[in-house]
Structures are given as structure tokens and as C-alpha cells.
Amino acid sequence: MEWPRSIQVRPLTLIIYIKIIDCKLEYVYNSYRVGMDSDLPLERNDSRKQLRSINNQKELLMKKFITVLGAMLGMIFISLSSSLAHCIWTEVPFKVEPGQEFTVSAYYAHPDYPLEERDKTSLSLVVLKPGEEMQEIVLFENPYHYDNEVSLNSPGQHFFVLERSPNRYRLSEIRDFGKSMTWVGEAGSLVHDPVGIPLEIITVKVNELANGHKELTVQVLFKGSPVSGGAIEVFQSLENDSILYDEIAEYDVPKGGKVTFTIDPSRKYVLETDHRVPAREIAGTGFAITEVRFRSTLFIGAM
């Protein structure tokens, strides 16, 4: 069983934690021995005072040790839980020319986390070409992401679908998906049909606004049917070519699964949603799994 890297403590971090705790244990032990070595026959006049001082020192050292140990464990548990917000997404240009080489990038993180908190995991990427079979794309590892150079020749709408290997957290199984779209040749609409991943965000309507912004209506689908009860988080890039994001909105998904909001077409966006399902309704879950959490993203490139 492979635990998701997002809920693991990095080996170097764990070694540091253990080393600090070990040093504190050694310090307390040595101090305790000094105290024990001081428990020698004393003059009757000052024996009570020195014993009281030694006991107070031992108690103080033990309190300090417990405080440090608690802090270390707290840091470990924060590392285990804070990254559970991670999702996956893939970035591509909104439009390219036939035969043009461009970079496709894949990320595993919470979109508004700094670069140093972006992580690595097991990812697979395919491209869906119009009227053709899907093609797998090899991803190469970089310090904060994965990428590769690709080119597309067939005009029309192409989809890049990213998937993370199912991972277990306690009694839950997490299944991650990401989708992005690019046009080859003449640019078309953001509106598109489902591509068939289990949990999916699709664009169903676009209105052009007078200020140049676009009003999008998106819909959340689970196994092809609208699903409600979750939320859509909207992340906007800091600049049109930035890989850093801010979360600008979060919308509850109502009955029918549709949410409407406005975007600035000069920026990039990552839309994220999730959906939880009892494990008995999902085939292929691991042993003693009670719930499957699906997470999915839609990337919209700057136009």
C-alpha cells in the first residue's frame, strides 16, 4: 500500500524531528544523572534545601521535555494533515498553432500554496485528440512540478487528462483527476462536453461582458450526471503567465450542479471540486475502505 506523499512526513524532516527529540532525551537523561549523582550524603543543615532544589530541577527539565515533544508531534501531525488539501492539475496554453511545440505542466499541490510546498506523486497524463484515440504523454520531474514538450497537428479542441494513482488515508481512498483544454488552430469556446472521467467540471455556457470579462456557467458531473452538495473553489493566477495562484472564491454547488461566476480572460484559473461516495458503491476499493473521495480540477488558460 502506497500512502499519498501529501500525508507523509518527508524522510529528512522526520530525521530532524527524531534527532531533536533524541538530543532532548539525552539532555534530560544526563541532567537526571547529575541530579542522581548529587543525591549523596549531605550535611543535615542543608540537605532538605539541596534535595528540594534537585527535585525542582528534575521537574522543570521534564516539563521542558514534554513541551518540546508535544511541539514536535504537533509539527508532524500538521505535516500529515495540512497537505490533504492537495489536488492535481495540468496547465496548457488556451490556443496553439498546428505543429507548434509547447509545454504541458502538471502539479500536485493546493493551488495557492507557495512553490516550496508543492509536492511529488505518481501521475499519468493523456491527451484526447478530436477523432483519434487517446495518447499517453510522459512527464518529466522538475523541482516543483512535472512537464514535457508536445505538439499537436489536428485542428480543433484537445483535452489533457491527468490522473493520480488511488491513495489511501485512514479508512478513505482518494482518487484525483485534472483536466485542461487547448485549441489547435482557430480558438473556439470554453464550452465542452464531458470527457468521461468519474468526477468532472464542464463549462456549459459563456457570456461575454462589456468590460471584456467572461461570465462562465460550469457544471459538476459524477459519472456523467449532475451532482450537488459540494463546493467549487476558484483560484486565479497572480499574473497571466504566473504559476502562483490566489483563491478568489468558493461556491456551494446547488441542485443541478451548476455554478456561475466571472473570470478575467487575461489570467489563468484552476477550478477544484470534490465528491465523497460510500465505498460499497465503488468497485476496486482497497481493504477496509469505507469512503471514496473523488477530487477533480478544470484548468482554464489565459486567452
Side-chain angles (χ1 to χ4, degrees):
M1 176 184 68
E2 178 189 358
W3 282 70
R5 188 177 176 89
S6 62
I7 58 175
Q8 293 176 350
V9 179
R10 294 179 178 85
L12 179 59
T13 306
L14 186 57
I15 290 171
I16 294 172
Y17 291 162
I18 293 173
K19 187 64 178 175
I20 293 172
I21 293 173
D22 182 60
C23 290
K24 287 295 180 181
L25 278 170
E26 183 178 359
Y27 174 66
V28 172
Y29 174 72
N30 290 336
S31 300
Y32 180 79
R33 288 196 61 185
V34 170
M36 289 298 293
D37 292 341
S38 300
D39 291 343
L40 300 174
L42 305 170
E43 295 295 330
R44 182 171 299 178
N45 292 337
D46 60 356
S47 62
R48 292 183 179 179
K49 181 183 294 185
Q50 289 201 22
L51 285 173
R52 188 181 302 113
S53 176
I54 291 170
N55 289 333
N56 288 341
Q57 184 182 16
K58 291 176 184 176
E59 183 179 354
L60 179 60
L61 288 171
M62 187 55 66
K63 285 181 178 179
K64 289 182 177 179
F65 168 69
I66 292 173
T67 300
V68 171
L69 180 60
M72 293 300 102
L73 292 175
M75 292 174 68
I76 292 173
F77 285 125
I78 288 172
S79 298
L80 290 172
S81 59
S82 63
S83 295
L84 286 175
H86 279 24
C87 62
I88 62 173
W89 75 95
T90 177
E91 298 193 9
V92 294
F94 179 70
K95 176 186 174 297
V96 296
E97 295 300 325
Q100 174 187 343
E101 191 172 79
F102 62 94
T103 301
V104 53
S105 303
Y107 299 88
Y108 174 54
H110 203 246
D112 61 356
Y113 281 5
L115 285 179
E116 58 270 19
E117 293 187 27
R118 295 188 176 183
D119 218 329
K120 301 296 176 58
T121 188
S122 175
L123 297 173
S124 61
L125 177 67
V126 298
V127 58
L128 308 179
K129 304 177 181 181
E132 301 180 31
E133 293 186 358
M134 71 174 63
Q135 177 184 340
E136 184 176 358
I137 297 175
V138 176
L139 291 171
F140 298 103
E141 184 174 322
N142 288 277
Y144 306 115
H145 70 287
Y146 302 85
D147 66 14
N148 200 349
E149 300 295 319
V150 300
S151 62
L152 302 170
N153 297 313
S154 303
Q157 194 177 40
H158 294 66
F159 294 95
F160 293 83
V161 178
L162 187 66
E163 183 175 355
R164 178 176 175 241
S165 300
N167 277 258
R168 178 175 184 150
Y169 176 64
R170 295 179 180 173
L171 298 180
S172 296
E173 187 173 276
I174 302 172
R175 301 188 182 187
D176 284 299
F177 301 88
K179 180 181 66 177
S180 60
M181 176 187 67
T182 191
W183 283 91
V184 177
E186 185 177 353
S189 173
L190 287 170
V191 174
H192 62 277
D193 294 326
V195 300
I197 55 180
L199 182 66
E200 187 170 359
I201 303 172
I202 63 170
T203 308
V204 296
K205 186 178 180 180
V206 179
N207 289 327
E208 304 289 340
L209 302 180
N211 63 358
H213 290 188
K214 296 178 183 289
E215 183 184 69
L216 300 188
T217 298
V218 300
Q219 187 175 35
V220 181
L221 304 177
F222 180 66
K223 294 187 175 181
S225 298
V227 65
S228 61
I232 291 180
E233 294 179 84
V234 181
F235 301 89
Q236 177 182 273
S237 64
L238 301 185
E239 302 291 342
N240 62 346
D241 59 350
S242 176
I243 61 173
L244 300 176
Y245 291 82
D246 275 336
E247 182 174 358
I248 61 170
E250 181 174 341
Y251 302 96
D252 292 332
V253 180
K255 185 177 181 180
K258 293 182 180 180
V259 171
T260 299
F261 54 92
T262 300
I263 67 167
D264 177 354
S266 68
R267 300 294 182 90
K268 302 186 297 185
Y269 292 85
V270 177
L271 313 182
E272 180 194 0
T273 191
D274 71 347
H275 182 60
R276 301 169 188 264
V277 181
R280 63 179 179 275
E281 299 178 12
I282 305 299
T285 56
F287 174 74
I289 295 294
T290 61
E291 179 186 74
V292 179
R293 180 186 180 192
F294 291 88
R295 293 187 298 203
S296 189
T297 60
L298 171 63
F299 171 79
I300 301 173
M303 301 171 207

